[in-house]
Amino acid sequence: MQSKSYSARTLDAGALKSFAHPLRLRIYELLDEHGPSTATKLAALLGQNTGATSYHLRELAGHGMIEVVPGMGRGKEKYWRITPGGFSYGEPPSDPEAAGAMEFLLDDMVRQRGAELARWREEEARAPEEWVRASGYGRRSLRLTPEESAALRDEVFEVLERYRALSDRREVESPDSRDRDPSMGRVIIHFDVLPVGAGQGPAEEGTP
């Protein structure tokens, strides 16, 4: 039987508005961090009742953010996972409500990145040496044109997509973490291209 093919998708206005919900964001983060889970297990982690988590899981699934894992669970028990392929927010939508939802999601992304960096700084001293050697921090300040910046962004995303596809295949082939290579870990990659100052007017004469 041929495996289902996944590719990154751009969230439409409805998905943006549905996703911009604190509890749904937290459910998504937990599935990302811990892997497939049930409504009952998520409810225990979140201090919610199973009915609430079930509802929010269905909402996320309705917009293609998550899916049921085939072959996991007994009877009517469902294990949910993040839909392989990933997603992007795309261009700012014209719908004011969807645009507001995107702003909320982008602000949450900034919060999450800060939390992840702080967590690694705390864990780094206790992490296995091979993971410390494999990790890295990077920041560059470059003088580029908009065209060069876009080319840089696209080239880096091409590399990330290759490794994203590799990771997705593993998730689909071995949804239960107990069946995976024990040397594998959850790796976070942050990448931003930020033309800081582009929204300001021309620099005053004499300003560096």
Side-chain angles (χ1 to χ4, degrees):
M1 182 175 173
Q2 189 174 11
S3 298
K4 182 178 178 180
S5 177
Y6 292 92
S7 59
R9 57 187 287 265
T10 300
L11 301 187
D12 59 22
L16 285 170
K17 288 185 278 190
S18 179
F19 196 31
H21 184 287
L23 190 54
R24 287 173 204 162
L25 282 170
R26 185 63 183 134
I27 288 172
Y28 194 89
E29 288 177 16
L30 288 172
L31 291 175
D32 182 35
E33 180 172 359
H34 300 293
S37 190
T38 65
T40 301
K41 292 179 180 179
L42 289 166
L45 289 171
L46 293 164
Q48 299 284 326
N49 62 64
T50 304
T53 51
S54 294
Y55 169 76
H56 291 298
L57 285 165
R58 290 194 300 271
E59 283 292 307
L60 288 168
H63 292 284
M65 305 297 296
I66 64 173
E67 64 181 19
V68 174
V69 185
M72 285 190 75
R74 291 173 295 181
K76 295 183 178 180
E77 184 181 50
K78 293 180 181 178
Y79 273 81
W80 299 88
R81 70 179 173 200
I82 290 175
T83 304
F87 66 89
S88 68
Y89 294 137
E91 298 297 322
S94 56
D95 174 7
E97 188 178 351
M102 180 183 283
E103 291 295 320
F104 177 85
L105 291 166
L106 291 173
D107 287 343
D108 186 75
M109 185 193 306
V110 172
R111 174 206 61 77
Q112 185 179 18
R113 287 180 180 181
E116 288 165 348
L117 284 168
R119 177 177 175 179
W120 172 242
R121 287 292 295 142
E122 181 182 343
E123 293 178 347
E124 187 174 5
R126 305 186 302 275
E129 184 180 351
E130 62 268 28
W131 278 117
V132 175
R133 290 199 306 268
S135 69
Y137 301 96
R139 181 186 182 278
R140 301 292 186 272
S141 179
L142 311 176
R143 299 291 181 182
L144 302 174
T145 65
E147 293 76 18
E148 291 165 341
S149 299
L152 167 65
R153 176 203 62 203
D154 293 345
E155 286 181 39
V156 173
F157 274 125
E158 284 179 12
V159 174
L160 291 176
E161 276 299 293
R162 290 208 311 270
Y163 284 92
R164 192 272 307 161
L166 172 64
S167 176
D168 283 351
R169 283 199 302 273
R170 289 170 172 166
E171 292 283 349
V172 172
E173 292 168 1
S174 302
D176 191 331
S177 60
R178 293 171 295 185
D179 299 331
R180 298 177 198 158
D181 182 344
S183 69
M184 285 194 302
R186 177 173 173 254
V187 177
I188 303 294
I189 299 96
H190 295 147
F191 173 67
D192 307 285
V193 179
L194 307 174
V196 176
Q200 300 175 353
E204 294 182 7
E205 188 175 351
T207 301

